[in-house]
Amino acid sequence: MNRDFNTSFSSSNLLCQETQQEQEACFSETAKESHHYKSPCSDNEGDDEYIQNLVQRETTTDVGFQINLFTTKTWLKSARFDGIQWIFNTRETFGFQVHTAYLSVTYFDRFIATRSVDEGKMWAIPLLSIACLSLAAKMEEPKAPFLSEFHTKDYQFENKVIQRMELMVLTTLEWKMSSATPFCYLHYFIRKFHGEFETKGLICKAIEFIIAIIKEMSLVDCRPSIIAAAAVLAALNGGLTRKAMEDKIGCISLWGSLQSEHIFSCYNMMVAIEMRKYVSDGGGGGGIKRKLTFNHSSDQNSLSKKICRP
């Protein structure tokens, strides 16, 4: 089934006439690929060759180009933030692992880097968020919720609409749904940068940096291993110079000079996020900023839900 991946997705695209047999075949194949997550660090966390293979696999899901959509579509940055907020709140509701949420954001970013989204179709972002989280749950969780269990604040989507969105995501991403996440590398980089001894606090801090940077950039712009290395370095020391960072990563043969530049840029972004958080929490006089939170919001919107049948 040929598709033009560079066209925008719209209601007419979404309601493409796949047969029932095609849809069943599609989702039965997804079920075959689904597996219960095992951390790649659990059995091979000190294996340089294994980590090298993980890094090599990252290239298989590259979109082949990087476009900063947020500079040309500022509305998309805000809409994406809302989609990520929903993904992480819903992750908490269902008790999903954090890497499941990260993987769904990866699907989201890869999709919008390939297809354009019209500003007037605001329903498309929550629908895409549902589809991406549902697919990630099918890939990584022991049991994925029914589609009818996914709820958004302003829209209620029919199951068949979500299924068609899932199919569109799968075909757009060329069924390349298995992907390493930064969490796969944390123990490895902690051992390389900090030695054999590691603390729970250090791991938690690195995870916080990974989650925080999600809202700052598209995940197609930075590979998981780069984000993981930067997060561990930021968790260890927020004041590293370029030279000090290069000395630390010099013992790892995973990257060249370009990747080292990316690590330093990602590291600086994480440190800047931490500084903004510090100023905000310390009452530095700045205005209130939107924050990416991960607790299920207690605020209840009184707006009636709109039944969305695009």
Side-chain angles (χ1 to χ4, degrees):
M1 184 163 45
N2 295 324
R3 292 178 181 271
D4 181 1
F5 290 163
N6 294 317
T7 59
S8 62
F9 75 90
S10 61
S11 57
S12 59
N13 293 129
L14 194 59
L15 295 177
C16 57
Q17 298 301 311
E18 286 90 1
T19 65
Q20 182 67 24
Q21 290 81 3
E22 286 175 316
Q23 287 191 15
E24 289 176 352
C26 161
F27 292 105
S28 64
E29 184 65 25
T30 301
K32 292 177 184 177
E33 293 180 348
S34 179
H35 59 280
H36 180 48
Y37 173 74
K38 292 183 180 180
S39 171
C41 295
S42 60
D43 298 322
N44 303 280
E45 56 191 5
D47 190 337
D48 288 344
E49 183 179 357
Y50 184 81
I51 295 298
Q52 182 70 55
N53 289 336
L54 278 182
V55 173
Q56 185 63 34
R57 281 177 52 199
E58 291 176 356
T59 62
T60 65
T61 53
D62 283 350
V63 295
F65 54 86
Q66 282 139 17
I67 300 174
N68 190 344
L69 298 174
F70 303 148
T71 59
T72 57
K73 296 183 177 181
T74 54
W75 71 270
L76 186 56
K77 183 175 183 178
S78 177
R80 176 183 180 274
F81 181 96
D82 291 337
I84 295 173
Q85 182 73 67
W86 178 87
I87 285 172
F88 275 88
N89 284 342
T90 305
R91 177 204 75 84
E92 196 168 86
T93 299
F94 288 116
F96 293 162
Q97 302 167 89
V98 67
H99 78 271
T100 300
Y102 183 97
L103 189 62
S104 68
V105 178
T106 301
Y107 296 162
F108 184 104
D109 286 342
R110 287 169 59 197
F111 185 93
I112 62 176
T114 307
R115 286 182 180 265
S116 62
V117 182
D118 296 335
E119 184 173 358
K121 298 182 174 67
M122 295 304 294
W123 52 264
I125 297 299
L127 177 57
L128 178 60
S129 302
I130 292 174
C132 289
L133 184 57
S134 173
L135 288 170
K138 290 172 182 175
M139 287 293 296
E140 302 295 340
E141 298 296 328
K143 182 179 180 181
F146 294 111
L147 295 180
S148 58
E149 297 180 70
F150 290 104
H151 303 291
T152 65
K153 182 173 65 173
D154 295 323
Y155 299 96
Q156 180 179 333
F157 298 103
E158 293 181 331
N159 289 354
K160 64 181 180 181
V161 174
I162 300 173
Q163 286 182 330
R164 286 167 178 158
M165 186 72 249
E166 285 182 322
L167 182 59
M168 185 174 290
V169 171
L170 289 167
T171 54
T172 299
L173 303 189
E174 299 178 340
W175 291 78
K176 296 176 181 178
M177 312 305 286
S178 178
S179 175
T181 68
F183 312 107
C184 302
Y185 299 97
L186 289 183
H187 293 288
Y188 176 80
F189 286 135
I190 288 173
R191 279 173 167 72
K192 290 294 185 180
F193 299 149
H194 189 56
E196 290 298 317
F197 179 74
E198 64 183 52
T199 65
K200 182 179 179 181
L202 179 57
I203 295 174
C204 291
K205 189 64 177 177
I207 291 174
E208 286 178 10
F209 277 119
I210 293 169
I211 293 174
I213 205 171
I214 291 175
K215 73 184 180 74
E216 299 289 332
M217 67 178 186
S218 170
L219 296 183
V220 302
D221 292 334
C222 200
R223 294 181 181 178
S225 58
I226 301 293
I227 293 174
V232 171
L233 290 169
L236 286 170
N237 187 345
L240 291 176
T241 63
R242 175 65 180 270
K243 178 65 167 59
M245 189 207 72
E246 289 178 345
D247 289 342
K248 281 188 170 293
I249 68 175
C251 63
I252 302 176
S253 60
L254 297 175
W255 311 290
S257 58
L258 180 60
Q259 285 73 32
S260 297
E261 178 66 36
H262 289 166
I263 293 172
F264 192 59
S265 297
C266 191
Y267 168 85
N268 284 334
M269 189 180 297
M270 291 175 177
V271 171
I273 292 171
E274 183 74 1
M275 183 59 66
R276 290 201 304 268
K277 179 182 177 182
Y278 173 79
V279 172
S280 177
D281 292 346
I288 298 175
K289 297 181 179 179
R290 301 177 74 195
K291 294 183 180 180
L292 184 58
T293 57
F294 311 105
N295 292 324
H296 192 64
S297 175
S298 59
D299 296 334
Q300 297 297 323
N301 195 312
S302 59
L303 292 175
S304 59
K305 288 182 177 284
K306 293 173 274 189
I307 304 296
C308 185
R309 300 184 179 90

